[in-house]
Amino acid sequence: AASGVIQLATELDGALSDTSPRVRQAALEALASYRGRASAEPHFVKLLGHDKWTYVRIAAANALSNQPHNPVSDKALFVAVNGDDSNRVVVAALAALGKRNSPATIDPLLVVASDATLATEVRTAAILALGQLCAKKAAPLLYKLAYRVVKPQLPYDKPLGLAALSALGDIKPPDPAVKLAPLTQKSARVPYQVRMIARDAIARDGKCGAGLGRPPRSRPKGKMVRRESPN
């Protein structure tokens, strides 16, 4: 309830050291709304790296996601990505790196997104973070993953491909309408869901500026076009 009440910020800082993990979690969640509170950030970093409770470390990563990026806390988040034994914490740390908008994190995120030995949810979080960071250099990897969603051969092909399409819609890489055209055509090989997501990735404005450009119309203007049935 104290979230956003600036007069209680000092008391919330103190609650980060409370003996109860639920109190520490609640304090982190309340302080997450205070962007740029430098006095609290070292506590966020400490709890992310050392608290024994998973939900507290997740709350610490979420709190850091709302802070301006800086080398110290960026490093702490990457330490969590590479060393935490809970994938839930790793996913929260990756999401935080995407929200903090630090260009220096793009190359390490590419490594995570490309690593086939990692859990699917971890790679998905890295892909979505690359989209938030408008990482155009990730486009070759994202197109490769997106194409696999049509004919998945491995269990992770579909979730990673759908995440890649979402990221492509944010990033605006070159020639999306051309490169994603095989995924937008009505075909027995391309599921309806994939067609709609691919078309949305092409058409929507995304996070990185103007829209990607809509795919060419298949029918003349002015004529009624029947909506495609999902069946």
Side-chain angles (χ1 to χ4, degrees), residues 61-174:
N62 292 338
L64 283 170
S65 73
N66 290 325
Q67 303 304 311
H69 71 83
N70 64 70
V72 173
S73 48
D74 284 351
K75 181 179 178 181
L77 287 164
F78 269 115
V79 168
V81 167
N82 293 319
D84 201 283
D85 58 4
S86 168
N87 282 342
R88 292 171 59 210
V89 177
V90 173
V91 167
L94 288 165
L97 287 165
K99 287 182 68 175
R100 287 159 62 90
N101 196 29
S102 175
T105 65
I106 290 175
D107 286 340
L109 285 170
L110 272 169
V111 172
V112 175
S114 304
D115 190 344
T117 67
L118 296 176
T120 301
E121 61 265 34
V122 170
R123 295 180 69 191
T124 298
I127 290 166
L128 295 175
L130 288 166
Q132 286 192 303
L133 289 167
C134 299
K136 288 187 169 152
K137 67 189 302 183
L141 171 66
L142 297 177
Y143 281 127
K144 179 180 177 182
L145 294 173
Y147 296 150
R148 291 180 183 174
V149 77
V150 175
K151 194 174 181 181
Q153 297 180 347
L154 297 167
Y156 54 71
D157 282 344
K158 185 172 182 178
L160 293 185
L162 293 176
L165 283 171
S166 177
L168 286 166
D170 287 336
I171 292 171
K172 301 198 312 101

Side-chain angles (χ1 to χ4, degrees), residues 166-209:
S166 177
L168 286 166
D170 287 336
I171 292 171
K172 301 198 312 101
D175 301 323
V178 174
K179 291 183 178 180
L180 292 180
L183 304 184
T184 64
Q185 305 304 316
K186 187 173 182 181
S187 163
R189 294 179 62 250
V190 184
Y192 175 81
Q193 177 196 31
V194 174
R195 290 197 294 274
M196 295 300 101
I197 293 173
R199 290 174 184 178
D200 176 72
I202 293 169
R204 65 187 170 93
D205 287 345
K207 292 175 56 66
C208 307

